[in-house]
Amino acid sequence: VSAEAALVLHSYYRSSAAWRVRIALNMKGLDHRIVTRHLRRGEQSTPDYLALNPQGLVPTLEAAGKGALTQSLAIIDYLDELHPEPPLRPGPALRRARILAFALAIACDIHPVQNLKVLHRLRALGHAEPEIAGWAKAVIEDGLEACEQLIADEPGPFCFGPAPTLADLCLVPQLANARRFEVEPRWPRLVAAERAARALPAFAAAAPERQPDFEAA
Amino acid sequence: VSAEAALVLHSYYRSSAAWRVRIALNMKGLDHRIVTRHLRRGEQSTPDYLALNPQGLVPTLEAAGKGALTQSLAIIDYLDELHPEPPLRPGPALRRARILAFALAIACDIHPVQNLKVLHRLRALGHAEPEIAGWAKAVIEDGLEACEQLIADEPGPFCFGPAPTLADLCLVPQLANARRFEVEPRWPRLVAAERAARALPAFAAAAPERQPDFEAA
């Protein structure tokens, strides 16, 4: 991680979406610098950051001379297109699409429905913490149950075969989120894929506890 | 639309996600058959449908002899890879990624946070209809405000240049959703792109009121 890196990632240690991109950068072996944005202190809502990312979310990737790119799956797609090895969506078109579908089942239908922003909206509606945690728990359980079925016929050890793909990049942070909300993962294929992934250096180095802004809970 | 079509789309007239895929099928000129799944009657939760789509969501694409594919953006990516003309994400890598980022800003951060499933969860927590509508409205307004800024420097008429892309496929259904929740679109670039898109036959034929399961409100 260099001070002169051509790639700058705006990240927050606990953000699932930023975590996905950190894994991708590590897998591709790309030199990069991390700028931390503390979401609970509102560092994603400063005017300078909103100029980069109008949604006020992390991550954002800045590539020297090319401006800012938002949305974790778009950033990963860009990195995968410029640096094809190792491929994050290997295989023929249908296989590539199935990997993307699994990733989207997490990135569209689980994570945004249980993220900090939505939990704040529930708080603003007057819900107490146990109700809010119950919401997150239900969303995560429903979603991961479906994810397990999406790869029921896959031999593993990763979500889609012998090497990690975009699916595993999305799964690992989502399972960490699950545990934060006291969902004990009961899905054997998902847990096996997570174990295989977390054993890899690229995944290990991207974990929240290895980030510069990590705070023990 | 043929009874013998090699492609079958499971759709619901009012689903934003199914609507995106209907536009893509039309733009690519692909023969297909539509099977309607009435979400308000629970036709997405039958055992036969859950075997195709474990999330119990529409759309699902069935391709003869190839099984089922879920998630609208994965289905569209698959169609775009097999049938590259017209390209739904044209241009060099960074441009392709920016188009995807705009689509994901809608498909991850707006639509799933205001869809039927989430509104049901709010209802189950005891919220009255005006509060639920207020939730949807706030999510849509925040999200579309950011989308307008993502294409502020684009000349138009479409979201990204002179032809419709994946961004427009996501925008048109989301603006219709906005109006259902009494958000009057006040974003000039988004509205201009919508107008350009809705003038095209591929978009017009995909609209809810042209679907076999359409019901007047």
Side-chain angles (χ1 to χ4, degrees):
Chain A
V1 175
S2 151
E4 304 289 318
L7 295 174
V8 173
L9 181 69
H10 296 263
S11 173
Y12 174 57
Y13 74 101
R14 206 155 74 173
S15 156
S16 290
W19 187 348
R20 295 170 198 150
V21 178
R22 296 194 302 255
I23 301 168
L25 286 164
N26 294 345
M27 284 182 67
K28 302 289 184 180
L30 296 172
D31 189 30
H32 62 281
R33 183 163 65 91
I34 284 188
V35 174
T36 63
R37 296 276 167 188
H38 197 297
L39 299 196
R40 288 176 184 274
R41 291 191 206 122
E43 291 177 6
Q44 76 284 26
S45 306
T46 59
D48 67 314
Y49 189 66
L50 289 174
L52 297 176
N53 186 320
Q55 292 189 274
L57 298 172
V58 291
T60 303
L61 184 78
E62 288 186 275
K66 302 207 164 168
L69 181 59
T70 63
Q71 286 287 340
S72 62
L73 296 196
I75 295 170
I76 293 168
D77 187 75
Y78 173 69
L79 297 174
D80 202 31
E81 195 158 323
L82 286 191
H83 307 279
E85 293 301 324
L88 295 177
R89 291 207 287 140
L94 188 62
R95 180 117 183 126
R96 289 170 46 73
R98 289 231 164 89
I99 295 169
L100 180 57
F102 182 99
L104 292 166
I106 291 173
C108 295
D109 294 320
I110 306 179
H111 177 242
V113 191
Q114 56 98 106
N115 71 4
L116 211 53
K117 217 166 182 171
V118 163
L119 304 188
H120 281 328
R121 288 191 197 277
L122 288 169
R123 221 162 266 132
L125 284 178
H127 291 287
E129 294 308 314
E131 274 178 317
I132 293 171
W135 168 290
K137 205 173 161 170
V139 167
I140 292 168
E141 285 184 329
D142 286 3
L144 291 179
E145 179 67 36
C147 285
E148 174 82 359
Q149 292 173 53
L150 286 172
I151 58 168
D153 296 332
E154 290 288 331
F158 295 94
C159 288
F160 289 87
T165 67
L166 178 64
D168 303 279
L169 270 62
C170 293
L171 176 64
V172 165
Q174 188 58 58
L175 283 177
N177 258 347
R179 293 190 188 91
R180 270 177 62 202
F181 290 105
E182 295 175 11
V183 176
E184 190 41 47
R186 59 174 182 266
W187 302 280
R189 279 292 295 111
L190 301 184
V191 170
E194 181 197 34
R195 191 181 311 118
R198 296 201 86 150
L200 301 176
F203 282 75
E209 60 273 20
R210 297 273 297 271
Q211 301 311 303
D213 54 343
F214 174 68
E215 297 165 350
Chain B
V1 177
S2 151
E4 304 291 317
L7 294 174
V8 173
L9 180 69
H10 296 263
S11 172
Y12 175 56
Y13 75 101
R14 206 155 73 171
S15 155
S16 290
W19 187 348
R20 296 169 196 149
V21 178
R22 296 195 302 255
I23 301 168
L25 286 164
N26 294 344
M27 283 181 68
K28 302 287 185 182
L30 296 171
D31 189 30
H32 62 282
R33 183 163 65 91
I34 284 187
V35 174
T36 64
R37 295 276 168 187
H38 198 296
L39 299 195
R40 289 179 184 273
R41 290 191 207 122
E43 291 176 6
Q44 75 284 24
S45 307
T46 59
D48 67 313
Y49 189 66
L50 289 174
L52 298 176
N53 185 321
Q55 292 189 273
L57 297 172
V58 291
T60 303
L61 185 77
E62 287 186 276
K66 302 206 164 171
L69 181 60
T70 64
Q71 286 286 342
S72 62
L73 296 196
I75 296 169
I76 293 168
D77 187 74
Y78 174 69
L79 297 174
D80 201 31
E81 195 159 322
L82 286 191
H83 308 279
E85 295 299 327
L88 295 178
R89 291 207 288 141
L94 187 63
R95 179 116 184 128
R96 288 169 48 73
R98 289 231 163 89
I99 295 169
L100 180 56
F102 181 100
L104 292 166
I106 291 174
C108 295
D109 294 320
I110 306 179
H111 177 241
V113 191
Q114 56 96 109
N115 72 2
L116 210 52
K117 217 165 181 171
V118 163
L119 304 188
H120 281 327
R121 289 191 196 277
L122 288 169
R123 221 162 267 133
L125 285 178
H127 292 288
E129 294 307 313
E131 273 178 319
I132 294 171
W135 168 290
K137 204 173 162 170
V139 168
I140 293 169
E141 285 184 330
D142 286 4
L144 291 178
E145 179 68 36
C147 285
E148 174 81 0
Q149 291 173 54
L150 286 172
I151 57 168
D153 296 332
E154 289 289 331
F158 295 93
C159 288
F160 288 87
T165 67
L166 178 64
D168 304 279
L169 269 60
C170 293
L171 176 64
V172 165
Q174 188 58 59
L175 283 177
N177 258 347
R179 293 190 188 90
R180 269 176 63 202
F181 289 105
E182 295 176 10
V183 175
E184 190 44 44
R186 57 174 184 266
W187 303 280
R189 278 292 292 112
L190 300 184
V191 169
E194 181 197 34
R195 191 180 310 118
R198 295 202 85 150
L200 301 176
F203 281 75
E209 61 272 21
R210 297 273 297 271
Q211 301 311 302
D213 54 342
F214 174 69
E215 297 165 351

